Amino acid sequence: MKTILITGASSGIGRATAEVFLDAGWAVGALARRWDKLQDLAAGHDAVLPLQCDVTDPKAVDAAFDIFMERFGRMDVLFNNAGLFGQSGTIDTVPIDSWLQVMHTNINGMFLCARAAFARMRHQVPQGGRIINNGSLSAYVPREGSVSYTMSKHAVTGLTRTLSLDGRAFDIACGQIDIGNAMTDLVEDLNTRRVAEGLQPLPMMDVAEAANSVLHMAQMPPSANVQFMTVMATKMPYIGRG
C-alpha cells in the first residue's frame, strides 16, 4: 500500500485530497491542528492516521513524521499543503501580526515539513519519494490585496525548484500544483467579501478536481515528474489578464 502524508488535511483542499487518496487505496497520514476535524476524517477508515500538529513547530513536526513512519514504515509522498491567505489589503494596511502568521505557516511550515519528509525519504529503503508543494496562481499572477499570500507563494516556488535539484541524488522528486479557485471555505470567504464590496464573485471549480490532480502527480513513476501543474476554474481571469 502506498503512503502519503497530507498537511492541512482537516479541511479544504487537504481534506478533499485525503478522501481521494483513500478511495484510491492509499494509506493517509492526515496532519492538521484541529483534532476534532481529523477524528471526523478518520472515522471508519483504518488507513487514516490522524496527526495533530502545528506545522510551524519544529519539534511537533518531527514527532508527527516519526509517528507516521512508525505506523506505515515508509513515506512515498508528502503533500505539503497547509497554508493561510491572511488579511487582505494594501501593504500599509496589513497588520504585522497577520503578515507574520502567513509567513510562519506558508514558508516556515512548508520548509519544516519538506525538511522532515526529505530526511526520511533519503534514509528509507528503498530510498526516495515525492514531495508535492501546494503553490498558487498568485506565484505568477497575483490578486490585488494579497501581498502576504503572494510573497509566500513565490517562496514556495523557490522551495520546489531547489528540492527538485537537491533530491535528484536521493531519488526524491519534487513538483508543485498551482490551484485556482477550488471551492473551499477560504475561497468562499473571499467571495463573500467580494460581494460585500460590490465585486463579482470568482468563478469556481469543484475541489475534487484539485485533489484528483494531486493524485495524478503522486502516481507518476519514479522516472517521471510533473514539475508544475496549473489546475483552475475554466473562466478565471488568469489567461489574458492585464
Side-chain angles (χ1 to χ4, degrees):
M1 181 182 290
K2 290 285 190 179
T3 66
I4 183 170
L5 192 153
I6 300 171
T7 68
S10 60
S11 63
I13 292 168
R15 178 165 184 138
T17 302
E19 292 170 347
V20 163
F21 274 77
L22 285 169
D23 288 344
W26 288 57
V28 174
L31 186 151
R33 290 178 299 176
R34 292 179 290 181
W35 182 246
D36 58 332
K37 297 287 187 180
L38 292 176
Q39 288 289 87
D40 179 64
L41 172 64
H45 292 290
D46 292 337
V48 176
L49 173 64
L51 298 164
Q52 187 176 26
C53 177
D54 182 341
V55 297
T56 69
D57 183 335
K59 291 183 179 179
V61 168
D62 270 333
F65 276 63
D66 282 342
I67 292 170
F68 179 93
M69 295 298 288
E70 289 168 7
R71 168 73 176 271
F72 297 123
R74 178 173 183 82
M75 183 176 297
D76 292 303
V77 178
L78 166 69
F79 181 36
N80 210 4
N81 166 71
L84 300 172
F85 187 82
Q87 186 164 324
S88 298
T90 56
I91 192 168
D92 58 318
T93 65
V94 172
I96 296 299
D97 287 348
S98 177
W99 156 263
L100 290 174
Q101 184 182 28
V102 173
M103 296 307 108
H104 287 324
T105 301
N106 295 11
I107 298 180
N108 294 348
M110 282 269 189
F111 173 89
L112 292 172
C113 291
R115 184 178 187 273
F118 195 104
R120 286 153 182 82
M121 291 174 180
R122 178 177 182 171
H123 294 293
Q124 64 190 0
V125 180
Q127 188 179 64
R130 191 179 304 272
I131 297 171
I132 301 172
N133 292 326
N134 190 353
S136 173
L137 295 188
S138 289
Y140 308 96
V141 180
R143 181 178 285 117
E144 66 276 5
S146 65
V147 62
S148 301
Y149 184 77
T150 294
M151 286 187 67
S152 73
K153 292 303 183 178
H154 276 72
V156 172
T157 299
L159 175 66
T160 299
R161 294 185 188 278
T162 305
L163 292 180
S164 295
L165 292 174
D166 292 346
R168 288 176 175 177
F170 312 107
D171 292 326
I172 299 171
C174 184
Q176 180 171 312
I177 185 166
D178 299 313
I179 299 168
N181 293 2
M183 182 65 81
T184 65
D185 290 342
L186 185 150
V187 179
E188 284 189 273
D189 289 344
L190 180 59
N191 256 351
T192 299
R193 293 199 300 269
R194 286 178 64 87
V195 171
E197 294 167 3
L199 301 173
Q200 289 294 319
L202 301 169
M204 299 287 191
M205 68 174 179
D206 193 318
V207 69
E209 301 306 329
N212 285 326
S213 297
V214 177
L215 179 64
H216 170 71
M217 296 173 73
Q219 289 178 328
M220 298 292 284
S223 59
N225 185 42
V226 177
Q227 187 63 62
F228 291 96
M229 175 186 285
T230 299
V231 57
M232 54 180 257
T234 304
K235 295 184 179 181
M236 280 186 70
Y238 170 62
I239 303 300
R241 182 183 294 182

